[in-house]
Amino acid sequence: MDKKDREKWSPGGKTMVKVFLVEDEAIIRHGIRDNIDWASHGFEFAGEAGDGEYAYPLILKAQPDILVTDIKMPFMDGIELIKNVMHNDISLKTIIFSGYNEFEYAKLAVKLGVKDYILKPVDPSEFSSTITGVITELDEEHKKDEDYNLSLIHI
């Protein structure tokens, strides 16, 4: 089942956007998961994991629209997770948050098409602003797809 087959509608009439969270620090992961009213913002919390190795098969199954991941994690780090997801042609937007303000990580993130790189501690307003921007981008892409499909019908 692809994303268009599983779209849900929120009370505001917008498509629910599936978000998957990967963070090895449980207190941070649970804080983000439990302190955001996902549904009222048009999000569906699609799942969570404590490292990339555990997250990867869950992401394949959940097919989220947005992946929010830490970089430094045991077993499989966030960069490797993003590479694996890209290798399998999973179409999603990625946001990285990290406690490391290192240029090399930011450079890798840009190469991988990451939408934003947020430093920990995560500022709730920055996180909200970032995810809202990604949703706007997803909406614009969806609109372009609809316009293209309509143009094919009229050929």
Side-chain angles (χ1 to χ4, degrees):
M1 175 187 308
D2 68 14
K3 289 182 183 180
K4 290 185 180 182
D5 291 332
R6 64 151 171 77
E7 286 179 339
K8 297 178 183 175
W9 298 96
S10 70
K14 289 196 171 191
T15 303
M16 293 289 273
V17 175
K18 293 175 92 173
V19 179
F20 195 95
L21 175 64
V22 187
E23 164 61 61
D24 63 322
E25 295 179 57
I27 196 160
I28 293 173
R29 187 173 70 249
H30 295 162
I32 292 171
R33 180 196 65 201
D34 297 341
N35 291 307
I36 295 175
D37 185 0
W38 299 96
S40 74
H41 291 92
F43 309 139
E44 176 186 342
F45 188 78
E48 65 181 284
D51 66 72
E53 186 176 75
Y54 183 66
Y56 182 63
L58 297 174
I59 290 168
L60 291 175
K61 184 176 181 182
Q63 294 288 305
D65 301 293
I66 300 173
L67 169 63
V68 180
T69 184
D70 190 4
I71 286 186
K72 287 274 196 172
M73 297 179 290
F75 307 113
M76 182 191 297
D77 66 22
I79 296 293
E80 206 54 41
L81 174 62
I82 294 166
K83 287 179 182 176
N84 285 336
V85 167
M86 289 174 64
H87 179 72
N88 280 287
D89 293 327
I90 298 171
S91 176
L92 53 71
K93 305 294 180 193
T94 308
I95 299 167
I96 288 179
F97 52 83
S98 178
Y100 300 92
N101 188 10
E102 294 185 22
F103 181 68
E104 287 304 311
Y105 288 130
K107 202 163 84 171
L108 276 171
V110 168
K111 284 184 180 179
L112 294 172
V114 170
K115 295 300 164 192
D116 210 338
Y117 188 100
I118 301 172
L119 290 176
K120 291 180 191 174
V122 177
D123 177 290
S125 64
E126 181 183 6
F127 182 74
S128 178
S129 172
T130 297
I131 208 158
T132 300
V134 173
I135 288 171
T136 300
E137 189 175 322
L138 284 168
D139 286 344
E140 288 170 1
E141 288 176 7
H142 185 73
K143 174 79 170 107
K144 284 180 186 175
D145 288 345
E146 285 179 348
D147 290 347
Y148 176 75
N149 290 338
L150 284 173
S151 72
L152 290 177
I153 292 171
H154 296 291
I155 292 179

